[in-house]
Amino acid sequence: MRTKRQGLIVWFQHMKNIKQIKRFGHLIYVSKQRKYAVVYVDLLEAEETASKLNELPFISKVDFSYKPYVNTEFENAKMDKAKEYDYKMGI
């Protein structure tokens, strides 16, 4: 069974602290230029982990990802007319 996960966007000050951020969850992405990292943690432990990360001196702020709360089931999805004709060309 897959566990529900929550993405945390962690804004930091120095790249040398990435190793310490890694210990809090599954590190997915790090931006060197903008100095942020995307870390996935369990949904039930997200609040606790975010508060622990905020206490660290090299962390500027921690934001939550909205992905688990966005509905990805779409209704009445209509195909594009141009694409519909492209599929019928091979028949």
Side-chain angles (χ1 to χ4, degrees), residues 4-62:
K4 298 277 186 176
R5 299 191 312 165
Q6 171 75 40
L8 299 177
I9 295 91
V10 182
W11 300 88
F12 55 87
Q13 296 170 2
H14 304 286
M15 282 296 294
K16 66 181 180 180
N17 302 116
I18 293 300
K19 195 172 187 179
Q20 292 176 333
I21 295 172
K22 244 191 228 186
R23 295 180 183 149
F24 287 93
H26 187 202
L27 184 68
I28 298 294
Y29 178 76
V30 177
S31 173
K32 293 179 182 178
Q33 190 174 20
R34 299 205 174 139
K35 295 185 180 176
Y36 75 91
V38 178
V39 180
Y40 276 94
V41 297
D42 290 339
L43 186 62
L44 301 174
E45 300 172 359
E47 291 284 336
E48 182 182 334
T49 306
S51 64
K52 285 182 185 177
L53 280 166
N54 270 328
E55 291 173 1
L56 296 174
F58 55 87
I59 301 293
S60 302
K61 68 177 181 175
V62 178

